[in-house]
Amino acid sequence: MEQIHVLEKAFEEAVQSASSTYELRQIELKYLAKSGELTGLMRGIASLPPDEKPKFGAAVNEARARAQSAYDLRLAQLTEAERSVRFEQDRIDVTLPSRMPRAGREHVLQQTFNKIKRVMGSMGFVYFEGPELEDFKYNFDALNYPPDHPAMDAQDTFYVSDTQVMRTQCTAFQGRLFEQVKPPFRYFTVGRTFRNETVDRTHSHTFHQIDVFMVDEGISMAHLKGTLGAFARQMFGEEVKVRFRPDFFPFVEPGVDYAISTPKLFDGKWVELGGAGLVHPNILERYGIDTEKYSGFAFGLGADRIPMMAYGIDDLRLFLENDKRFLEQFA
Ligand code: FA5
């Protein structure tokens, strides 16, 4: 009986001094649970003389019942106290100004592509898209690359299967077009291109190109220069000058690379933009086009270079990093 009294007293003190529902649960485990100390008293009943058993049993049960209601009462108090603390913490100040929803905008590259589409469209060129995962034959064979020609090494890429590559140049759209349309025609494309290259400020494994392509009667370098000049003036301003220098690409003859210069950009220094030339007669003949009658020009350039020049962006990796602080600058 003395033991019951001592335990009950200890339990009550513990319950009163518990300062959280968590502490209270620990006390419940220690005393009241199945293996708790108060409950455990019942086990002592076995060693008592038979006539004392009922009295002892009743005393333990009563003590447990009192302990249980003391516990329940304290649990209710602590739960309420904790709830009001949480309520205070979660309180919302409805008078604070709300957060403005962030307005999305087009990516600076997309803005550039839109402008390219407007400019080329205004000159009567039709937009056409080829796939980014391209058949090897369109990326190289159809463009007059002889098998194992070293020019392919300059465009090492990601081979997805024996016959498919991530396209290295948008010029790959030419073969697809030749299979579908007959001259005269003018087409252009803008899209993502890929090369296995060491990434630096001006080179990426994933970049973008514009390719333009026209076949008609009597097309010459003059048409190429006129079209490219008009394109460059609309993209970079009226004062822009275009410079051609001989270069080699298997799909053009003659081939050139070209640079632009304008007083507004880089103190008028020449900036390389891409390659161009007259469509190689081998290609026209392969698609059954009469080369006595028809000829064509093509030019291609790195589209990432355009906003780099226009806005003075010195690292093209920024385009793909999705950093809002960068992207938000191009309204
Ligand atoms: C070509 O890709 C040819 N298809 C261009 C062409 C089209 C020539 C039509 C003749 C007729 P080139 O490999 O030089 O050429 O690449 C063209 C442009 O793409 C480069 O001037 C550069 O602006 C851009 N470019 C090339 N590699 C990368 C790269 N790794 N990262 C960013 N831009 C690149």
Side-chain angles (χ1 to χ4, degrees):
M1 287 304 198
E2 178 61 21
Q3 226 182 334
I4 298 175
H5 184 68
V6 169
L7 266 182
E8 199 183 343
K9 196 104 187 105
F11 174 81
E12 260 164 32
E13 272 163 25
V15 163
Q16 287 318 312
S17 64
S19 59
S20 69
T21 52
Y22 175 78
E23 263 178 50
L24 197 62
R25 293 234 156 75
Q26 306 308 308
I27 296 163
E28 183 195 20
L29 281 177
K30 183 160 186 267
Y31 294 95
L32 283 178
K34 252 203 185 116
S35 54
E37 292 177 23
L38 262 172
T39 322
L41 285 173
M42 270 304 188
R43 278 193 294 276
I45 211 166
S47 58
L48 290 175
D51 58 335
E52 281 182 24
K53 284 187 181 174
K55 210 173 129 216
F56 181 75
V60 172
N61 280 336
E62 278 160 26
R64 280 204 67 216
R66 280 193 300 275
Q68 185 67 50
S69 40
Y71 170 83
D72 290 345
L73 187 68
R74 188 74 185 134
L75 182 64
Q77 288 170 351
L78 288 174
T79 306
E80 183 51 35
E82 284 173 10
R83 193 179 293 140
S84 53
V85 167
R86 231 181 8 251
F87 181 75
E88 276 308 313
Q89 283 169 348
D90 292 352
R91 201 190 193 96
I92 297 166
D93 182 351
V94 292
T95 65
L96 282 175
S98 63
R99 271 189 214 130
M100 289 299 285
R102 279 175 178 274
R105 69 186 71 186
E106 278 176 324
H107 191 284
V108 57
L109 284 175
Q110 188 59 48
Q111 293 175 28
T112 308
F113 301 161
N114 293 345
K115 183 162 181 197
I116 292 166
K117 286 176 187 174
R118 279 199 303 278
V119 169
M120 292 316 298
S122 74
M123 290 194 274
F125 285 78
V126 177
Y127 185 68
F128 180 88
E129 235 169 47
E132 291 174 5
L133 175 57
E134 184 56 284
D135 292 349
F136 186 91
K137 66 171 181 184
Y138 292 115
N139 199 83
F140 292 120
D141 299 337
L143 290 173
N144 201 36
Y145 286 79
D148 298 322
H149 193 279
M152 283 185 271
D153 296 345
Q155 301 192 2
D156 186 21
T157 184
F158 306 100
Y159 285 75
V160 177
S161 71
D162 288 345
T163 57
Q164 287 181 307
V165 297
M166 298 310 291
R167 69 176 172 198
T168 61
Q169 48 187 346
C170 275
T171 320
F173 86 141
Q174 283 192 9
R176 292 183 174 272
L177 273 168
F178 276 125
E179 288 174 1
Q180 293 174 35
V181 293
K182 291 266 162 270
F185 57 69
R186 314 171 187 196
Y187 283 97
F188 75 107
T189 195
V190 183
R192 203 168 283 158
T193 42
F194 309 84
R195 290 185 197 178
N196 180 12
E197 268 194 271
T198 310
V199 173
D200 62 24
R201 286 145 68 99
T202 53
H203 293 87
S204 177
H205 46 77
T206 303
F207 57 104
H208 302 82
Q209 284 191 337
I210 309 151
D211 245 78
V212 177
F213 169 43
M214 169 172 189
V215 180
D216 205 333
E217 287 180 42
I219 293 295
S220 71
M221 290 297 277
H223 297 99
L224 166 62
K225 197 160 188 187
T227 309
L228 192 50
F231 172 74
R233 279 193 298 280
Q234 298 223 44
M235 296 306 293
F236 300 103
E238 279 302 314
E239 309 98 328
V240 82
K241 284 187 288 204
V242 181
R243 180 190 72 185
F244 283 2
R245 290 193 307 194
D247 198 356
F248 173 77
F249 298 94
F251 38 92
V252 285
E253 180 58 40
V256 295
D257 69 30
Y258 57 92
I260 61 154
S261 128
T262 146
K264 281 194 299 213
L265 294 167
F266 307 109
D267 304 323
K269 287 203 190 75
W270 291 106
V271 181
E272 301 263 347
L273 266 196
L278 294 186
V279 178
H280 200 291
N282 283 355
I283 297 177
L284 297 176
E285 275 157 19
R286 181 175 314 138
Y287 292 102
I289 294 164
D290 178 2
T291 50
E292 292 296 317
K293 188 170 171 197
Y294 289 110
S295 52
F297 71 70
F299 66 88
L301 60 136
D304 312 72
R305 298 274 155 95
I306 295 174
M308 287 180 87
M309 292 172 66
Y311 297 112
I313 299 164
D314 60 2
D315 191 332
L316 99 176
R317 287 170 289 200
L318 289 164
F319 291 133
L320 298 181
E321 277 170 3
N322 268 343
D323 184 335
K324 282 211 197 91
R325 290 167 301 176
F326 170 73
L327 296 173
E328 273 169 357
Q329 298 174 58
F330 309 100

